[in-house]
Amino acid sequence: MKDRYSRQELYKPIGVSGQKKIQSKHVLIIGCGALGTMNAESLVRAGIGRLSIVDRDYVEISNLQRQQLFTEEDCLKQLPKAIAAKEHLLNINSSVTINAYVMDGTSSNLPPLMEDVDLVIDATDNFDIRFVINDLIHQYTIPWIFGSCVGSTGMSYTIVPQETPCLQCLLDATPASGATCDSVGVISPAVQMVVALQQAEALKILVEDDESLRTKLVTFDLWNNMFHTMDIKRAKKNTCPTCGENPIYPKLTYESQTKMEVLCGRNTVQVRSKREVHMEELARRLSEIGTVHQNDFLLSVDYHSFRVVIFKDGRVLIHGTNSIEQARNIYYQLVG
């Protein structure tokens, strides 16, 4: 196995010493969809020492077009994405330590995972969690590589606490589009381009070559042959509540956490709950209203025109509605 990383070590900016640094580092990926799976595979093939993956969802057939780690068998088993990813990644490189967390990342459960992390990679699909991450990485002083894509477009930016503008500063300067993959679609090359940009920056950070980090925001549109870089250093604000002179990290307060949310473009409502779920008891009860499908991590049941998926951590996905009120009623009817 001594030649495993030989081609990477031959690249002078990494070399043997850089490879040793990579193997000593810990990366946290939040989100395990298209960006997450590709980032995770690249890091595992590069020989990262430890990789932690956080994701709240499970594998569905529509994921397979662009989420390259997953298979049809994962869909049939309704495996949580983090678990399926871990299994496949270990088959690629068994020497990597991989932690899989089936949970919705929040300001309550993410801090313990930040304690010994060298880098956070953004692979999420909404700005609620991104703003939480933005506050956390500044609180813990961890570099973070932002990335997003939709349609044939994408963007990436490397955020270094105390040095660069934060996500809030960035979006104040360059407002984000309201489009999502679920509403307008996405092509795989756009995902691959964002991941390439993120991974190049990740390797620089992991080998501690900070001078080579890209300092500009990159945006592109592959279909329309556009590639643009923007210098946003001036976007950093001294009054910013996250990265300014007197940070208060506003997105980490309890009041700012979403308890029930519509998952954009998916005709689905997610309900968060801290109550303990007794899966076997719940499965027996729900079997009276429909066929229950269950694995070690979740159970699902069809209820009228809805599909209800309940995770062990108390989260519930109610597919078939965008109405929070309707979802709340279904939740109380089934879960209690």
Side-chain angles (χ1 to χ4, degrees):
M1 302 287 281
K2 66 178 182 178
D3 294 330
R4 180 166 200 142
Y5 308 112
S6 60
R7 302 304 186 272
Q8 191 161 274
E9 291 172 346
L10 284 171
Y11 182 60
K12 290 184 179 180
I14 294 179
V16 174
S17 62
Q19 186 61 45
K20 289 180 180 179
K21 290 178 181 178
I22 292 171
Q23 291 174 270
S24 70
K25 299 296 174 62
H26 181 193
V27 175
L28 171 63
I29 297 178
I30 303 178
C32 195
L35 294 178
T37 52
M38 290 188 188
N39 269 295
E41 181 175 341
S42 295
L43 287 168
V44 164
R45 291 188 183 278
I48 190 66
R50 193 148 50 114
L51 180 67
S52 293
I53 302 170
V54 174
D55 193 273
R56 66 186 180 183
D57 214 342
Y58 60 96
V59 183
E60 298 180 276
I61 194 69
S62 63
N63 301 147
L64 301 187
Q65 167 254 346
R66 65 201 179 281
Q67 299 179 20
Q68 65 184 33
L69 278 180
F70 303 137
T71 66
E72 291 180 353
E73 185 177 358
D74 297 329
C75 296
L76 292 173
K77 292 180 178 179
Q78 287 189 317
L79 282 179
K81 291 182 178 181
I83 300 300
K86 178 178 179 178
E87 292 179 0
H88 296 306
L89 290 169
L90 287 175
N91 285 328
I92 293 171
N93 192 342
S94 59
S95 68
V96 177
T97 299
I98 301 175
N99 306 308
Y101 300 93
V102 183
M103 66 185 195
D104 189 16
T106 68
S107 61
S108 300
N109 59 26
L110 284 177
L113 307 187
M114 299 275 184
E115 294 293 342
D116 60 351
V117 165
D118 299 290
L119 171 66
V120 176
I121 293 182
D122 170 34
T124 61
D125 60 1
N126 70 86
F127 277 92
D128 284 342
I129 182 59
R130 284 185 175 122
F131 283 126
V132 169
I133 299 169
N134 188 52
D135 277 1
L136 284 173
I137 63 107
H138 282 83
Q139 190 176 56
Y140 285 84
T141 319
I142 304 170
W144 176 37
I145 305 175
F146 165 75
S148 69
C149 57
V150 63
S152 61
T153 68
M155 65 172 64
S156 180
Y157 184 66
T158 303
I159 298 173
V160 180
Q162 301 175 359
E163 294 183 23
T164 67
C166 75
L167 181 66
Q168 185 62 64
C169 296
L170 171 65
L171 293 183
D172 286 345
T174 56
S177 165
T180 69
C181 296
D182 295 295
S183 61
V184 302
V186 64
I187 57 173
S188 186
V191 178
Q192 294 165 355
M193 177 65 81
V194 173
V195 172
L197 293 167
Q198 289 183 303
Q199 280 299 300
E201 293 292 278
L203 288 173
K204 296 172 191 176
I205 291 172
L206 295 175
V207 302
E208 301 171 13
D209 185 6
D210 295 344
E211 291 184 0
S212 296
L213 286 174
R214 173 173 30 86
T215 59
K216 296 181 179 181
L217 168 71
V218 175
T219 62
F220 63 82
D221 184 338
L222 296 178
W223 204 265
N224 294 297
N225 307 307
M226 297 172 58
F227 193 91
H228 182 66
T229 60
M230 183 185 305
D231 188 345
I232 59 168
K233 289 181 180 179
R234 294 183 180 180
K236 186 172 176 60
K237 299 177 180 178
N238 292 334
T239 57
C240 176
T242 296
C243 70
E245 295 178 349
N246 299 294
I248 59 173
Y249 310 118
K251 297 300 181 180
L252 303 185
T253 62
Y254 179 80
E255 291 75 13
S256 69
Q257 298 175 27
T258 304
K259 311 304 183 301
M260 189 171 289
E261 63 179 319
V262 177
L263 301 187
C264 187
R266 292 187 57 185
N267 199 32
T268 298
V269 174
Q270 174 178 262
V271 183
R272 294 180 188 164
S273 173
K274 293 185 178 180
R275 63 182 295 178
E276 183 178 359
V277 177
H278 299 283
M279 299 293 278
E280 296 301 325
E281 177 184 338
L282 188 59
R284 285 193 297 270
R285 181 156 56 83
L286 294 181
S287 65
E288 297 177 5
I289 66 170
T291 302
V292 174
H293 301 279
Q294 186 175 9
N295 57 35
D296 292 337
F297 310 97
L298 56 84
L299 63 83
S300 65
V301 63
D302 291 332
Y303 180 64
H304 299 307
S305 61
F306 310 99
R307 180 158 57 95
V308 181
V309 181
I310 303 168
F311 291 79
K312 289 178 69 174
D313 66 1
R315 287 182 302 111
V316 179
L317 296 181
I318 301 174
H319 299 284
T321 181
N322 281 327
S323 167
I324 287 180
E325 188 60 36
Q326 188 175 46
R328 182 181 288 111
N329 292 335
I330 296 169
Y331 176 82
Y332 287 130
Q333 288 167 12
L334 298 187
V335 181

